[in-house]
Amino acid sequence: MRRLGAILLASAVSLLSAPPEAAARGFKVYGVQTPARGDLDGVYWADYVAAGGKDSADGLWRHTVEMDYSFSERWTIGVFGDFEDSKDGSLRYAQARFLVRTKVLDVSPSGAGLAFHAVYDFPENWYRSYEQVEVRMIFEQFFGIWNVRLNPIFEKKTSGPDVTDGLSFAYAAGAYRPVSPDVSAGLELHGGIGEIRDRDPTPKQRHYVVPTIRWKVNKRLSWEVGAAIGYTQEADDFTLKSLLEYRF
């Protein structure tokens, strides 16, 4: 466990020092914890691009509805529906995504937790011209009052004209601490480098730093909000994020 914790800390340092492709849709850093066996979780994600970057997306709303169900203590399945506001103001369906997740190690005060999840995308042609699979490693550990999460992300196109492209790398990472019994604050990093063997030039990558606040409203409902600040040329300058989670 201590060795895994050391790996987790070293990975955090490397992510923070690396030169930061676009982050996965939405700004979410996953932890190891999943719904209890037989429980169903629902999440409504909303991102609002307040200030777009080079390819301006000013005023764009992105929406996701996520449902996760744990059929054992270790295994969870889920489905996502993604939507975007069109230019005429109507809501437009973008894609469906399907999730399988397994928990390998629980988080403990003296050791790190580990989980894996895989997501397969089925996009509409207007949204993206290829399907892809994403495999995400989920590390989580406590360092005193700090909760640290790392999500290295590996993506591979599985259809379309560029199916022969190699494996791409992205990341999501965050550190959080309580500020009251029901509120925690944190700082997240999101981004990617494109294909591992042919990394995108740094100006063409999209990287964000995201201050967040999470409020546990009650035993079933929690709300997380944040502001994603892009610090590379291709990134949107300022995006507001909201994740509303309900445990049925």
Side-chain angles (χ1 to χ4, degrees):
M1 287 290 189
R2 290 180 179 176
R3 179 175 295 180
L4 185 56
I7 294 171
L8 181 63
L9 182 59
S11 299
V13 172
S14 67
L15 279 179
L16 288 168
S17 60
E21 182 146 86
R25 182 187 176 98
F27 297 95
K28 183 175 182 178
V29 184
Y30 284 87
V32 168
Q33 184 180 4
T34 59
R37 181 177 180 178
D39 281 357
L40 179 69
D41 275 12
V43 185
Y44 168 60
W45 313 31
D47 293 342
Y48 175 71
V49 182
K54 181 179 178 181
D55 297 322
S56 183
D58 288 2
L60 175 66
W61 280 96
R62 295 188 292 255
H63 311 269
T64 295
V65 177
E66 174 188 358
M67 300 296 293
D68 296 332
Y69 175 75
S70 290
F71 57 89
S72 76
E73 296 300 325
R74 298 289 180 186
W75 289 91
T76 300
I77 55 175
V79 61
F80 303 77
D82 294 334
F83 304 84
E84 285 190 1
D85 285 352
S86 62
K87 291 181 179 180
D88 63 6
S90 61
L91 194 64
R92 193 175 185 186
Y93 169 70
Q95 67 177 354
R97 296 181 282 154
F98 296 91
L99 162 74
V100 176
R101 174 170 167 160
T102 183
K103 180 169 58 176
V104 179
L105 295 172
D106 287 306
V107 183
S108 70
S110 60
L114 173 65
F116 294 88
H117 90 191
V119 176
Y120 197 92
D121 301 352
F122 292 95
E124 294 293 290
N125 288 333
W126 71 266
Y127 181 67
R128 200 176 62 220
S129 61
Y130 58 88
E131 297 173 7
Q132 75 173 18
V133 62
E134 169 198 303
V135 176
R136 182 183 298 232
M137 302 173 67
I138 301 169
F139 298 97
E140 181 176 6
Q141 187 165 13
F142 285 91
F143 297 93
I145 64 172
W146 287 93
N147 174 230
V148 177
R149 300 177 179 180
L150 298 175
N151 296 176
I153 305 164
F154 301 90
E155 300 169 335
K156 179 68 177 74
K157 296 174 182 176
T158 58
S159 69
D162 298 321
V163 69
T164 57
D165 285 357
L167 201 64
S168 296
F169 176 75
Y171 63 84
Y176 315 87
R177 58 160 294 170
V179 295
S180 77
D182 297 320
V183 178
S184 62
L187 188 68
E188 298 178 354
L189 299 174
H190 297 263
I193 65 171
E195 284 190 65
I196 295 173
R197 293 186 299 177
D198 186 19
R199 191 173 75 177
D200 292 338
T202 300
K204 291 187 175 297
Q205 299 172 12
R206 297 184 184 183
H207 298 273
Y208 300 87
V209 57
V210 189
T212 66
I213 295 176
R214 183 179 180 88
W215 175 31
K216 187 177 180 181
V217 181
N218 55 44
K219 291 183 179 180
R220 294 185 178 271
L221 181 66
S222 62
W223 187 26
E224 180 180 317
V225 295
I229 303 165
Y231 61 92
T232 53
Q233 183 176 319
E234 292 290 325
D236 293 322
D237 294 328
F238 192 77
T239 303
L240 298 173
K241 78 160 187 174
S242 169
L243 290 88
L244 195 63
E245 182 173 356
Y246 186 81
R247 180 154 293 175
F248 293 92

